[in-house]
Structures are given as C-alpha cells and as structure tokens.
Amino acid sequence: MTEFSANSRYFGLPMKVRLRPDGEAESYLPRRLIPAPERYKAFGLKRLSGSERIDDVAAEAFGDPELFWRIADALSLEDPASLLGEEGRPVPLPLPLEVASNGDT
Amino acid sequence: MATLKGVTLTLLMGPVAVAPAPRAVVDALESATATQAVGQRSGYQLTFAYSKTSPIAQQLLPTGFFDPMIRVILVATLNGLPKVLADGPIKRIDVTASTHPGEYKLVVTGEDISGYMDMVDLTGMPYPAMPPFARVALMMAKYAAFGVVPLTIPSPFSFAASPTEKYAQQQGSDFEYADKLAKDAGYEFYVTPGPAPGMNTAYWGPQARVGAPQPTLTIDFDQAAQTESATFTVDGNLAVLPYAFVKVANISIPVPVPDVGILKPPLAARPVVPTKTTLLETERLNAVEVAGALLAGRGGADPVTASGSVDLVRYGRPIDARSLIFVRGASLAHDGLWFVRSVSHALGRGSWRQTFQLARDGLVSQTSRVPA
C-alpha cells in the first residue's frame, strides 16, 4: 500500500517495482483506470463564472479542494485545468462512487 | 448549490443485496450510532421518528422492511470522503407509540456482519488436517455473498495433526468457533466493514499495535484543539502479572510471564507496576501450546485508559478502532502514543461526534516529540 492520503485519487493503489536494465530497482505507480463517466451521479450543478479554478469548485462542493479529480473524472477531462475559464458552462458535481449506487451494482 | 461539505449519511438496506433506503425512511432518520470495540462485536442503532400514517407505519413495518436479519449498511461521508460505519443484520426493533402525532419512534439495533455467522449451529463439522487459521478461512468462505474477505494469520505455533490420529470438530456456530479458536491462540476475531460499502474483512490474528498512527488528538491547544474532553484513568487492578507452572524434571516451578506479545511493543516509558498475579493454566498443555500461550501475551491488560470525545468536522476524519493514535496537550504523564480500544460514532443531522477509548501499559511518552 502506498502512503497517499484518503482524498488522493491514487489512494489504495499498490506501488509496483521494476528492475532497470542496470539492475537498479525503480518503483512506480500503476496506471489508474478512470471509472466510466456514466457511473457517476450528480448531486448538484455548478455554473462556472469564468474566473474560478477546478479546485475552487471542489472546495465549494466537497469542502476539500484536493478532491478536484472527482469532477475531472466525471467529466472525462484529461486535463483538469481545462475546466478553467469557460463561462456559463454547467458542471455536474458527482457523488463519490462509493455512495452513488442505485442498487443495481 | 448542493454541497457535500460536512457530514452526509447514506443508508442502504435489504435482504443480502442492499439498495438505497426509500425516501420516507431517510427523511424519518433522526440519529444513528455505531460502535467498534476490542473484544466485542460491533453494532449500530438507528432512530426514526414517524407518524401513524407515514409509509413506514403503513407499508414498510408490516411488510418486513425492518425485520430481523435484514442487512443494513450505514455510510457516512465527511467532506466528500465516504466511510462505512456499520454493515450487518438487524437484531432488534423497538417501537414506541405516542399520543402526539408524528412522534412514533422506531429504534433499530443491529450487529456487524458476524451476526449472520451465529445463525446455524454446526457442531461436529470435521476439519481434518487443518490448523486453526485454515479452519477459520474455510468457515468464512460461506459468507462470500456478504462480501466477507477472510484475513487469517497463522499462529507461530500451530500444526496440523494427522487425520488418522485425530481431527478437529466444530463447536457451536461459525462465530462462536472462530472466536474460541482466537481466544485459544491469544488472538482476536472480528469483522470490520469497508473499505467500500458491501465489503467486509474478517480478521483472525493477533492484536496488532503497530502501523502508522492516526492524526494526533489535540487537547487544550487553543484553536488547534479538536478533542472536547478527555479523562485519564490508572486502574491498579488491571495491572496483572501472569505466571505459569513449568515442569522441569517432573517438578512444577512457578515462572512469571513477561508481557511479550510480538505485535505489542510497550507504548509508554514507565509501565505500571503489577498489583496482582494470575495463574495461567498451562499444566495440561504440551510444550508447543505453552509457548504459544506465552507469546500471545495473554495476561497483558492495559492498566492506563483514556476516554473522551472529538468533533469529527474539526478533526477531519473518523478515528479507527484497533490502531494507534498520538495524544498531545494532556501533560507529560499522558501524552504520547495510545492504542484505540473502542470508538463510538454518534450522527445527527449535520453533526458527527465520536467518543473514543484509548489504552496503554503505563505513563509518560516514549517519544520526545509528538507530530501535530
């Protein structure tokens, strides 16, 4: 187990080790698979004013700016910073996947 | 804008497969408590207030929505991070009828998932050539439908007897037998819910007082303090020195047993001097079993305890039972590293308070600095 805090998107991922050709061990994080965006359920909508950043939105929605990756995951944004500056765009605020069940999973 | 700031509660209910509770149930939920403690089963209690004409009274209670053995999962989300607080069967339903409209009270009490392990008495089930940890893992396999993953740790002195000589047979239900095997090995058996809702870990192994400590409990540090109150107790009656008779050349010699649990390093610099002795029954055991009993640190109780409460919205995350935690601001004798013996969550609308019980073997911190 890695030492990422519980609000990290990498929390719970195993740290992997590979051997370089010269025999030195190199540790790395495995690829994180982003959940399918349709699994996310929105609990609210936020209209961007054009000046805020994605972590501002996360701080307002979750009380924790470091959870910005939830919003990025739900929107399938590859670059979280690209949320910045689009005025009037409605952004769905996703429930954490753990509690987003409809009873069908 | 809707927000997940602070505390939100998710309630999932159903027979084995759970689904989010209906709106009428969630709206009626007044408060919830959940307890996890060393040496006893975890449990939860939900309190609902409803009226005689509500769906709870007219449909859900009569049709068995709250019947015993219905599974309940309680998930609390603090600042966007979900935590499973309870998962297990309903065991008891109390209804208080009232003369005032809308003040009927329904109190649902339940246990953790081990409540399902008590249903069938399987006395006599043979386990040939299986050491205790394998028996527990096999028993837990029945509960895979409840998301139970067994985590069993072989005791250092266990061996499998040849089935042609003797083999073990189950005594009592799965829970009783796993608990008995744990006590014999100086181990603990318990089920913890999580990390994801619907998952459970059945742990059968030694009490582990190692690992990364949780964020520090701070008392009396102006605005940095999150602990509302704490009481510290030294109980001399709990400082017990176990001794055992060991046979040397057919003569029994009493030998005091040091508290040498492998995963129980001393937490305090000055242990409390024992005030009592207790005799370990080792006369009839063979050498392997005696060594196991001694290494398990069976006599060691914790004479120093602390209890208090903390506001989780200020502390930032729930405290887990059965792990280590730092305390600061409680003066020289009581600062330092502690073992969390039990936690109890009390949730209301928008509030989440936790009471905790800590324990250790003595006074004065081992470390000169405690992380903030």
Side-chain angles (χ1 to χ4, degrees):
Chain A
M1 279 296 212
T2 48
E3 288 184 13
F4 291 104
S5 61
N7 58 1
S8 164
R9 68 184 116 170
Y10 298 111
F11 179 68
L13 278 187
M15 187 72 97
K16 293 197 168 177
V17 179
R18 69 173 197 133
L19 282 182
R20 284 216 298 249
D22 59 359
E24 204 178 321
E26 207 175 30
S27 47
Y28 68 100
L29 265 178
R31 188 167 64 164
R32 184 180 76 103
L33 293 179
I34 297 178
E38 57 267 21
R39 287 179 62 201
Y40 281 99
K41 304 223 158 40
F43 66 88
L45 267 184
K46 163 86 183 160
R47 284 206 184 270
L48 293 187
S49 70
S51 59
E52 69 235 302
R53 300 187 325 210
I54 189 168
D55 48 347
D56 292 335
V57 182
E60 202 181 326
F62 302 117
D64 185 355
E66 291 184 23
L67 287 174
F68 72 90
W69 53 271
R70 281 223 180 102
I71 300 172
D73 279 3
L75 289 173
S76 302
L77 289 179
E78 276 169 31
D79 177 17
S82 66
L83 188 75
L84 189 146
E86 283 178 56
E87 196 179 339
R89 177 179 178 181
V91 172
L93 303 171
L95 277 174
L97 268 190
E98 290 92 328
V99 295
S101 137
N102 257 349
D104 52 0
T105 47
Chain B
M1 189 185 82
T3 169
L4 275 189
K5 258 186 208 170
V7 185
T8 46
L9 201 60
T10 310
L11 185 62
L12 306 159
M13 291 177 75
V16 186
V18 291
R23 169 113 203 200
V25 174
V26 175
D27 283 345
L29 184 64
E30 270 200 342
S31 63
T33 58
T35 308
Q36 280 124 34
V38 169
Q40 67 180 70
R41 261 186 228 198
S42 314
Y44 62 86
Q45 195 163 60
L46 309 173
T47 309
F48 302 92
Y50 63 101
S51 73
K52 213 160 41 171
T53 52
S54 74
I56 293 184
Q58 301 209 319
Q59 294 160 24
L60 299 174
L61 269 174
T63 55
F65 188 80
F66 292 102
D67 270 7
M69 302 321 269
I70 293 284
R71 186 180 181 187
V72 171
I73 300 180
L74 189 66
V75 186
T77 308
L78 181 63
N79 287 344
L81 287 182
K83 164 96 181 163
V84 186
L85 292 185
D87 179 355
I90 295 174
K91 285 282 159 126
R92 189 187 160 101
I93 306 114
D94 299 285
V95 168
T96 315
S98 163
T99 50
H100 299 284
E103 284 189 14
Y104 274 54
K105 276 246 152 58
L106 166 68
V107 180
V108 171
T109 314
E111 289 171 347
D112 63 13
I113 216 82
S114 67
Y116 289 113
M117 301 175 186
D118 249 349
M119 291 170 72
V120 191
D121 191 329
L122 288 167
T123 302
M125 180 87 165
Y127 293 103
M130 292 172 84
F133 76 93
R135 285 176 234 162
V136 175
L138 183 65
M139 283 191 279
M140 292 304 116
K142 294 185 205 96
Y143 304 99
F146 295 103
V148 174
V149 179
L151 177 62
T152 59
I153 296 178
S155 46
F157 301 97
S158 65
F159 57 96
S162 164
T164 54
E165 283 171 21
K166 64 168 184 179
Y167 55 83
Q169 287 189 325
Q170 183 159 344
Q171 297 154 30
S173 67
D174 285 345
F175 179 79
E176 286 163 356
Y177 192 48
D179 198 47
K180 179 192 173 297
L181 289 175
K183 291 214 169 83
D184 289 350
Y187 274 10
E188 286 185 336
F189 172 68
Y190 56 82
V191 186
T192 47
M199 280 174 70
N200 287 279
T201 308
Y203 179 80
W204 189 89
Q207 187 181 87
R209 296 192 172 185
V210 290
Q214 303 179 67
T216 303
L217 283 173
T218 308
I219 304 159
D220 190 19
F221 258 63
D222 283 348
Q223 59 155 345
Q226 356 82 344
T227 309
E228 288 163 349
S229 66
T231 341
F232 298 89
T233 314
V234 182
D235 188 349
N237 284 332
L238 290 176
V240 178
L241 180 73
Y243 69 101
F245 282 99
V246 177
K247 268 211 170 81
V248 180
N250 261 339
I251 301 170
S252 287
I253 302 168
V255 178
V257 180
D259 191 6
V260 285
I262 318 165
L263 293 171
K264 263 178 74 179
L267 299 178
R270 188 171 70 78
V272 173
V273 178
T275 56
K276 262 170 112 173
T277 57
T278 166
L279 176 65
L280 287 184
E281 293 286 341
T282 52
E283 199 88 340
R284 284 184 303 151
L285 305 179
N286 62 33
V288 175
E289 288 163 338
V290 172
L294 298 190
L295 261 182
R298 199 177 280 182
D302 294 300
V304 186
T305 55
S307 60
S309 66
V310 61
D311 183 356
L312 286 196
V313 179
R314 300 207 55 191
Y315 183 72
R317 52 168 268 190
I319 304 172
D320 285 326
R322 306 184 181 96
S323 60
L324 298 175
I325 197 164
F326 275 115
V327 171
R328 63 171 182 161
S331 85
L332 190 62
H334 296 113
D335 280 350
L337 204 54
W338 290 78
F339 177 71
V340 186
R341 270 170 60 92
S342 76
V343 292
S344 171
H345 306 267
L347 293 115
R349 296 243 167 230
S351 79
W352 185 353
R353 292 162 46 80
Q354 199 172 15
T355 52
F356 55 82
Q357 253 195 16
L358 316 175
R360 69 177 180 189
D361 45 359
L363 300 171
V364 185
S365 174
Q366 292 259 26
T367 54
S368 56
R369 291 177 72 88
V370 166

